[in-house]
Amino acid sequence: MTENGAPLWLSAAAACVGALMASVFGFIIVCALQAALGGDAAALGGDAAALMGDAWRPDAGQYGIAPMVWATLVLSLSALALSWCLSLGCACFMRGLAPRGAARALGAVIRFMTAVPTVVYGFVSVFLLVPLVRRSLGGSGLCWLSAGLVLSLQILPAMTLVIDGALRAMEERTALTTAALGLSPAQSLAWIGLPASRRALLSAATLGFGRAVGDTLIPTMLAGNAVQYARTPLQAMRTLSAHIGLITSTDVTGQAYHSLFAAGGLLLFFSAAASLTVRRLKTQKEKSA
């Protein structure tokens, strides 16, 4: 037994896992910094700063990933905005705005969605959503809009369950008080449940953003994979995660391969920045409370 009462084998296992994850993160950070600061300048055509350029033309020695950074952020944030609103609505629907039978049915559907592989969302969308977008709005259908809609659907279950769990816990703690005050379930949810669950709402948003940023299959299958600044929802784009998947499946020794380290480092930075920002907001609220 250790000093905190945990079994020795459990502490050793936790230390090994922590060391393994730290080594993976350290490897990504070191390689990303090496690429960004010029350690692989020769492999990148003599100018490592070109990594953040606007042009991706390997045949001309140009390996700019800036359009992919733009695509990653706009796709993730747009999918998060839509999915967070839907997740909040689903959680509220299940926690007091719907009959018990309908709430249970929706909860069962949400839990079933967590077990559906991502590739199924992408495969079905290629044959159903993409042709619909193409016929209704024009273009190829493989675009920011298609990828954003499916990505928002893919991250919805996890965020809904986080919000629903927080609302359920708050409902159990305040059930007697709200009943004594004569509040309806909807009033209890609006005046007590949601204001007291702000941390869970932020946590759900952080989780959704992390899943959206790191998803590979949906952007690869539905976003069109064009390296450009997509300024309308009907334009194609390529995200950093899709770029990593495409390059590693076709080239593991060429010059383009070195851009993967910068792409991986940026993905890690985006996820860590979102998590640290939420933790900072929570700390400031606790101090002010």
Side-chain angles (χ1 to χ4, degrees):
M1 300 290 289
T2 58
E3 295 181 357
N4 57 7
L8 182 60
W9 66 268
L10 184 60
S11 299
C16 290
V17 172
L20 178 62
M21 296 302 297
S23 63
V24 172
F25 291 154
F27 173 77
I28 295 174
I29 292 172
V30 170
C31 292
L33 289 176
Q34 183 181 12
L37 297 177
D40 288 323
L44 290 170
D47 185 7
L51 270 174
M52 296 308 297
D54 295 334
W56 177 264
R57 289 192 291 269
D59 56 338
Q62 295 177 321
Y63 302 96
I65 63 172
M68 304 177 206
V69 176
W70 164 263
T72 299
L73 291 176
V74 297
L75 178 61
S76 300
L77 292 175
S78 59
L80 174 63
L82 175 60
S83 187
W84 188 87
C85 294
L86 293 175
S87 299
L88 180 60
C90 290
C92 292
F93 187 82
M94 293 187 293
R95 287 294 109 203
L97 301 182
R100 182 168 298 180
R104 289 180 177 176
L106 179 60
V109 171
I110 294 295
R111 288 174 176 81
F112 172 76
M113 290 174 64
T114 61
V116 178
T118 304
V119 68
V120 174
Y121 287 102
F123 183 77
V124 172
S125 299
V126 167
F127 292 98
L128 296 180
L129 178 62
V130 170
L132 178 62
V133 172
R134 182 167 55 242
R135 289 194 302 267
S136 302
L137 302 174
S140 66
L142 298 173
C143 58
W144 173 6
L145 176 63
S146 299
L149 290 176
V150 180
L151 189 59
S152 65
L153 184 65
Q154 195 265 336
I155 65 177
L156 182 143
M159 291 197 296
T160 301
L161 293 178
V162 170
I163 299 173
D164 178 66
L167 293 178
R168 182 190 299 113
M170 186 58 58
E171 180 182 332
E172 292 173 354
R173 291 198 297 267
T174 61
L176 292 177
T177 303
T178 56
L181 293 173
L183 299 178
S184 66
Q187 291 173 327
S188 174
L189 178 66
W191 296 344
I192 299 177
L194 288 176
S197 303
R198 287 176 293 182
R199 293 183 184 178
L201 299 181
L202 288 173
S203 298
T206 305
L207 174 63
F209 179 77
R211 290 175 65 90
V213 165
D215 192 273
T216 302
L217 280 175
I218 290 177
T220 302
M221 298 176 71
L222 300 175
N225 294 311
V227 183
Q228 62 181 358
Y229 290 102
R231 293 180 172 84
T232 69
L234 297 179
Q235 289 184 324
M237 56 169 51
R238 180 190 289 187
T239 64
L240 292 171
S241 57
H243 174 67
I244 292 174
L246 291 170
I247 296 299
T248 53
S249 64
T250 58
D251 184 4
V252 295
T253 58
Q255 297 177 356
Y257 181 70
H258 296 277
S259 68
L260 302 184
F261 298 116
L266 286 171
L267 288 175
L268 180 62
F269 171 76
F270 292 149
S271 299
S275 179
L276 292 175
T277 299
V278 171
R279 290 176 65 88
R280 179 65 176 174
L281 292 175
K282 289 181 180 180
T283 302
Q284 290 179 346
K285 289 180 179 179
E286 291 174 354
K287 291 181 179 180
S288 61

